[in-house]
Amino acid sequence: MANLIIDGEEIEVPDHYTLLQACEAAGAEIPRFCFHERLSIAGNCRMCLVQVVGGPPKPVASCAMGVKDLRPGRDGTPPTINTNTEFVKKAREGVMEFLLINHPLDCPICDQGGECDLQDQAMAYGVSGSRFAENKRAVEDKHIGPLVKTIMNRCIQCTRCVRFVTEVAGVPDLGAIGRGEDMEITTYLESAMRSELQGNVIDLCPVGALTSKPYAFQARPWELTKTETIDAMDAVGSNIRVDVRGREVMRILPRTNDAVNEEWISDKSRFVWDGLKTQRLDRPYVKENGRLRPASWREAFRAIAAKVEASPKDRIAALGGELATAEELFALKDLMGRLGVASVDCRTDGVPLDPAVGRASYLFNPTIAGLAEADAVLIIGANPRWDAPIVNTRLRQAWVRNRARIGLIGERVDLTYPYQYLGAGGATLKDLGDFRDVLANAERPVVIIGQAALTREDGAAALAAAAQLAQDVGAVKDGWNGFGVLHTAASRVGGLDVGCVPGPGGKTGKEILTAGRSFDLDVLFLMGVDEMDERNLEAPFVVYIGTHGDRGAHIADVILPGAAYTEKSGTYVNMEGRPQRLTRAAFAPGDAREDWAILRALSAELGARLPYDNFAALHRAMVDNAPFLGLYDRLAPADPAAVGALTGAAGGIDDAPFINPMRQFHLTNPIARASKVMAECAKLWAEEQFVSVAAE
């Protein structure tokens, strides 16, 4: 710790702090443009000037000088810093005048207007005129893809965007060329940015040089109603803010949560909002003579009830989708139980995860934040850059900070950091070679198994082998559980927590789909299930509860319109087992209702009435069943003995390569597939796969 006198008051701060951080700890407000807590220090903008008494005769850039670089006074008093003297104010005004020399005065047409750092700080440190009479600099705008709009005349060369794509995203598409007044931020070859996290440069840009292209000229910030909620595009549970005008979602922004997503979100999470208003289901439909026709809720419910009453209970099944909340999956399981139906499952892809074994058997036990502390990582059958981009940034942190050794079994992909490619499939998992010693000698080893390994026919054997390896190399020990399952579905952990799996004698998700193909099923309830081969479900009577006219709706005999994740309240449990509160930001279109409300109304028609008439009662019933789901934003401890219980699975591992189920990052769910922006990104990505660049 170090003692400082800041603006006349003595304060003690950690000795690794910069002067800027020390001043803010003392309550002083320090303006800045280039400094960011999660990026390296550049010292470009010089806006954070302070005065060090007894130090240099000129003002000091507080972001670039550390507390331990200061010396005490001659009489032994702590170093003294002034942040609000006339000397400091004049220095900052001079810097602001320099920054505004070339900045175009186009605030009325700038999308950053109303939430622009330069605009705000110019109010405090700007002057009424400028001593610069020459023409302003002109810089050509760059085309860097369909997501980020560039107006480079506004750029002040803070290099936040360059540092982010290089250090955090690990895809160094942006950089600076030229010197002095000729310096430009560019992609060098005028190509589109390739990172799945590129949208974060919009938030980082302190001026209007980089803005959101899909959101351009759509709304002003003061017009929007802002709701803090949770993302559902992957299993990370990123904290987001949904901005709504009227009934329409206008944009999605990240919220800071150091334990989950820090302050970043993936491009799919940020730009999928336009898919929320296209191809929406807004009224019930019933199929007659092979064609769907609009119907009332009562007509739809009666058609379902007639079919359910005429069908044996063992020929009825239900599947829960990847975007459903824990409450909805609990209600689905409850309704099927009251009907005597055992075949209900949230594992539509057939993963061999069973809540009966214990929570640690299906959680990402190292935790997302803890992953950055790992010193050796083995990834089995996963592409974390697509499966969970935020998790991939933590793996990159482990490589940067700890020089962690990372090994991969599966498809050879670009993960934005160096790794040792061990092999393609099951044969490598049986024999890791030298990398086994790397894991065994590590202090905090991590074994991650993904969907490419779990969704195969030998998924149980692969899961058992990974659990056995984790135990053998010391990844599961006192104070550290390094065995983790990398989920891709937002609903999966919550569904397992509430027991949305088959009862005694019931069929699993994969068996249900097989039964639909072989005419062994009469009625199938699909609650937001779209990730399947719809040709397998032409035989049964399909009841589809969902939001979009996607695969599930194409084969449905009855369609019940549901609410999207921005239009309902509930609980999402992320891959590490952290329950988080989903808050409704907008209302569903037309006659669409929240899924749990549809199930509650349907249950009365089916003669199996659910005992909760409002969401609060449903939530209480779920928490009574699984108390840890009521501990929002907290991690309930999971017994690591469950990892050991996985090792007893029988069967051998096929030597065939692990093939990642996610073949296109931007089109993984019905909302994304309805998004024009995501379609443009997918098209651009597909075109880049076939572009060959000649060596120069």
Side-chain angles (χ1 to χ4, degrees):
M1 302 294 284
N3 290 326
L4 299 173
I5 297 176
I6 300 176
D7 293 338
E9 295 187 9
E10 187 168 346
I11 185 174
E12 186 178 42
V13 297
D15 59 5
H16 65 269
Y17 268 25
T18 63
L19 297 190
L20 187 152
Q21 292 171 307
C23 291
E24 294 213 321
E29 183 176 346
I30 307 296
R32 87 290 298 271
F33 293 116
C34 68
F35 178 79
H36 192 277
E37 288 81 357
R38 304 187 197 278
L39 304 176
S40 61
I41 294 172
N44 292 342
C45 72
R46 322 305 287 182
M47 194 66 204
C48 60
L49 296 175
V50 297
Q51 180 183 23
V52 177
V53 178
K58 60 183 180 180
V60 172
S62 60
C63 71
M65 178 174 282
V67 167
K68 56 187 176 184
D69 295 330
L70 301 179
R71 292 178 295 178
R74 293 182 178 180
D75 56 355
T77 58
T80 301
I81 300 170
N82 293 326
T83 70
N84 58 6
T85 61
E86 190 61 31
F87 173 80
V88 173
K89 187 174 187 295
K90 186 174 181 180
R92 292 176 181 170
E93 288 176 350
V95 171
M96 178 60 71
E97 186 177 354
F98 272 114
L99 291 175
L100 293 177
I101 281 175
N102 285 306
H103 192 81
L105 304 180
D106 59 351
C107 295
I109 62 164
C110 178
D111 278 319
Q112 285 274 55
E115 47 191 8
C116 173
D117 293 344
L118 182 64
Q119 196 177 57
D120 295 341
Q121 293 181 35
M123 291 292 292
Y125 301 103
V127 292
S128 58
S130 174
R131 288 168 282 182
F132 188 84
E134 286 77 7
N135 292 328
K136 290 184 181 288
R137 181 184 67 152
V139 182
E140 185 179 352
D141 294 340
K142 311 295 187 297
H143 174 71
I144 58 176
L147 303 180
V148 181
K149 180 181 179 182
T150 62
I151 304 94
M152 301 312 291
N153 285 336
R154 302 170 182 163
C155 180
I156 61 171
Q157 285 92 38
C158 70
T159 70
R160 278 187 180 183
C161 56
V162 176
R163 284 175 284 149
F164 171 80
V165 299
T166 303
E167 299 166 8
V168 179
V171 185
D173 287 330
L174 291 177
I177 60 172
R179 301 181 65 185
E181 191 180 59
D182 295 327
M183 178 179 172
E184 294 184 25
I185 304 297
T186 177
T187 54
Y188 305 116
L189 298 177
E190 292 280 332
S191 60
M193 295 176 69
R194 297 165 296 162
S195 172
E196 296 78 20
L197 298 163
Q198 62 181 276
N200 292 288
V201 302
I202 297 167
D203 300 329
L204 288 172
C205 185
V207 295
L210 302 176
T211 56
S212 172
K213 188 173 286 188
Y215 175 70
F217 311 123
Q218 296 294 313
R220 286 297 194 183
W222 54 83
E223 299 176 304
L224 305 175
T225 301
K226 304 166 179 65
T227 305
E228 297 183 348
T229 184
I230 303 299
D231 175 54
M233 293 297 108
D234 54 31
V236 172
S238 298
N239 288 217
I240 60 173
R241 192 188 86 194
V242 177
D243 289 358
V244 176
R245 183 175 62 189
R247 298 176 66 96
E248 186 176 351
V249 175
M250 302 302 297
R251 65 176 177 178
I252 296 175
L253 299 175
R255 287 190 294 128
T256 300
N257 187 328
D258 289 336
V260 183
N261 59 307
E262 296 181 297
E263 58 189 87
W264 323 121
I265 55 174
S266 73
D267 293 339
K268 186 163 54 176
S269 302
R270 181 186 297 269
F271 295 106
V272 79
W273 52 266
D274 69 316
L276 292 166
K277 51 190 176 184
T278 55
Q279 296 186 343
R280 288 300 302 269
L281 300 172
D282 59 358
R283 61 188 306 176
Y285 289 86
V286 173
K287 183 174 287 186
E288 286 184 358
N289 301 319
R291 301 190 65 174
L292 289 167
R293 66 164 180 85
S296 66
W297 283 101
R298 183 166 295 279
E299 282 183 286
F301 287 164
R302 285 176 176 173
I304 297 169
K307 197 67 178 178
V308 169
E309 290 173 6
S311 302
K313 304 308 179 188
D314 60 349
R315 294 179 65 87
I316 302 175
L319 292 174
E322 297 185 356
L323 303 181
T325 64
E327 285 87 354
E328 290 166 350
L329 292 171
F330 174 78
L332 179 67
K333 174 69 174 178
D334 193 3
L335 175 58
M336 293 299 115
R338 293 171 186 273
L339 291 174
V341 175
S343 299
V344 54
D345 205 349
C346 66
R347 305 163 301 177
T348 55
D349 49 8
V351 293
L353 303 173
D354 190 348
V357 179
R359 282 192 97 209
S361 68
Y362 58 84
L363 293 184
F364 193 79
N365 295 292
T367 72
I368 296 171
L371 199 59
E373 307 303 322
D375 49 2
V377 181
L378 175 64
I379 303 171
I380 304 168
N383 175 6
R385 183 174 170 182
W386 278 12
D387 295 346
I390 299 301
V391 170
N392 201 53
T393 66
R394 301 284 191 168
L395 285 167
R396 180 174 170 80
Q397 286 179 19
W399 172 72
V400 170
R401 297 177 184 177
N402 308 331
R403 288 297 165 199
R405 297 275 303 275
I406 300 174
L408 174 65
I409 302 175
E411 291 188 66
R412 191 192 293 266
V413 292
D414 178 9
L415 293 180
T416 75
Y417 43 81
Y419 63 85
Q420 182 177 342
Y421 185 67
L422 304 176
T428 309
L429 184 55
K430 299 172 188 175
D431 182 12
L432 296 179
D434 296 341
F435 200 80
R436 187 182 183 91
D437 295 332
V438 172
L439 292 171
N441 295 330
E443 183 178 346
R444 289 179 176 266
V446 172
V447 176
I448 299 173
I449 185 166
Q451 302 302 300
L454 294 175
T455 54
R456 304 198 321 177
E457 293 294 335
D458 60 346
L463 181 64
Q468 185 66 59
L469 175 65
Q471 291 207 314
D472 292 345
V473 300
V476 182
K477 55 188 176 184
D478 289 341
W480 178 252
N481 187 343
F483 175 78
V485 177
L486 186 62
H487 295 278
T488 57
S491 67
R492 185 59 49 82
V493 173
L496 294 172
D497 282 344
V498 300
C500 189
V501 294
K507 298 180 179 68
T508 65
K510 186 171 287 189
E511 291 170 344
I512 290 171
L513 296 176
T514 302
R517 183 170 59 250
S518 60
F519 294 86
D520 290 333
L521 202 62
D522 289 343
V523 181
L524 175 60
F525 291 87
L526 298 179
M527 190 173 72
V529 179
D530 292 276
E531 312 313 314
M532 76 295 187
D533 185 350
E534 60 269 30
R535 293 171 298 180
N536 293 341
L537 298 177
E538 295 176 354
F541 181 88
V542 175
V543 179
Y544 177 72
I545 304 173
T547 59
H548 287 72
D550 207 81
R551 298 169 187 166
H554 291 170
I555 55 166
D557 294 280
V558 175
I559 294 176
L560 305 177
Y565 71 104
T566 57
E567 300 160 357
K568 59 188 176 184
S569 298
T571 302
Y572 275 134
V573 188
N574 75 349
M575 64 171 69
E576 59 184 350
R578 182 188 304 273
Q580 298 185 100
R581 187 188 301 276
L582 181 74
T583 305
R584 183 176 61 195
F587 289 92
D591 292 335
R593 297 291 183 268
E594 296 182 36
D595 292 5
W596 75 265
I598 295 174
L599 293 174
R600 166 63 183 81
L602 178 60
S603 69
E605 192 72 32
L606 296 177
R609 181 169 177 165
L610 295 174
Y612 20 81
D613 294 329
N614 53 56
F615 177 78
L618 169 60
H619 179 73
R620 284 195 300 270
M622 181 190 73
V623 171
D624 289 343
N625 180 71
F628 50 84
L629 294 182
L631 305 175
Y632 280 124
D633 206 29
R634 291 162 61 184
L635 290 176
D639 187 356
V643 179
L646 289 173
T647 60
I653 304 176
D654 194 331
D655 292 343
F658 296 131
I659 305 298
N660 294 325
M662 189 182 296
R663 308 311 300 172
Q664 175 49 268
F665 170 73
H666 301 95
L667 305 175
T668 55
N669 60 63
I671 302 175
R673 286 190 287 271
S675 166
K676 181 180 178 181
V677 177
M678 291 295 100
E680 291 180 14
C681 293
K683 180 182 178 182
L684 182 63
W685 177 85
E687 290 173 350
E688 288 180 349
Q689 304 312 301
F690 300 101
V691 174
S692 58
V693 180
E696 297 181 358

